[in-house]
């Protein structure tokens, strides 16, 4: 998926954030006549946009702002027939992998916290139910 198509499918407020997000590692310019490098550049940029969106979502979940609406889920489609990563993109690919791992760890922690909070709320909800039996002197 090209970055332009990736942005076109994002909600407007997310697209604005993603367009403003700088790439963390500058992507070397690809020669115009090399479609292999151009395809890898686009694929890595699309991954970076996804990671940036996930990082921003986690930041907003932990801020005092109202919980953000989750962007619509879409299936990830692996880029086809790209071949091995060009050497000049190896550092960017490693950094993106590490960011993905960090985000997935933070998401897993958030899910555990959410489950714990839901259990606590469920206990409170059960405590507020009216009593079933009433003691009465005969």
């Amino acid at each position: 998926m090209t970055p332009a198509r990736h942005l076109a499918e994002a909600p407007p407020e997310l697209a604005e954030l993603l367009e403003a997000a700088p790439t963390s590692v500058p992507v070397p310019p690809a020669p115009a006549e090399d479609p292999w490098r151009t395809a890898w550049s686009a694929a890595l940029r699309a991954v970076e946009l996804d990671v940036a969106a996930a990082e921003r979502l986690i930041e907003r979940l932990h801020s005092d702002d109202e919980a953000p609406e989750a962007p619509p889920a879409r299936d990830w489609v692996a880029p086809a027939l790209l071949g091995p990563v060009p050497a000049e993109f190896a550092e960017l690919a490693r950094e993106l992998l590490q960011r993905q791992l960090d985000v997935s760890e933070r998401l897993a922690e958030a899910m555990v916290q959410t489950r714990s909070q839901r259990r606590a709320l469920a206990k409170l909800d059960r405590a507020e139910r009216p009593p079933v039996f009433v003691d009465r002197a005969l």
Side-chain angles (χ1 to χ4, degrees), residues 7 9 94 98 102 129-130:
L7 287 174
E9 294 176 0
R94 281 187 207 98
Q98 186 58 52
D102 292 344
R129 292 184 181 150

Side-chain angles (χ1 to χ4, degrees), residues 56-69:
R56 181 72 183 133
L57 179 65
I58 291 171
E59 286 174 20
R60 290 188 62 199
L61 286 173
H62 293 294
S63 71
D64 291 335
D65 297 341
E66 191 170 313
E69 193 171 307

Side-chain angles (χ1 to χ4, degrees), residues 42-133:
L44 291 173
R45 180 65 179 150
V47 169
E48 185 164 23
L49 291 174
D50 285 339
V51 171
E55 289 169 338
R56 181 72 183 133
L57 179 65
I58 291 171
E59 286 174 20
R60 290 188 62 199
L61 286 173
H62 293 294
S63 71
D64 291 335
D65 297 341
E66 191 170 313
E69 193 171 307
R74 57 186 190 283
D75 291 336
W76 181 76
V77 178
L81 304 173
L82 289 183
V85 177
E88 64 265 24
F89 294 132
E91 184 60 33
L92 175 61
R94 281 187 207 98
E95 183 176 311
L96 287 173
L97 174 61
Q98 186 58 52
R99 284 176 60 194
Q100 284 179 317
L101 294 172
D102 292 344
V103 165
S104 64
E105 184 176 313
R106 290 169 59 194
L107 286 173
E109 289 170 0
M111 289 188 314
V112 168
Q113 288 175 352
T114 300
R115 267 190 238 122
S116 174
Q117 291 170 354
R118 287 185 69 188
R119 284 188 197 122
L121 287 173
K123 288 178 183 177
L124 290 175
D125 187 38
R126 278 183 263 164
E128 293 177 6
R129 292 184 181 150
V132 177
F133 301 101

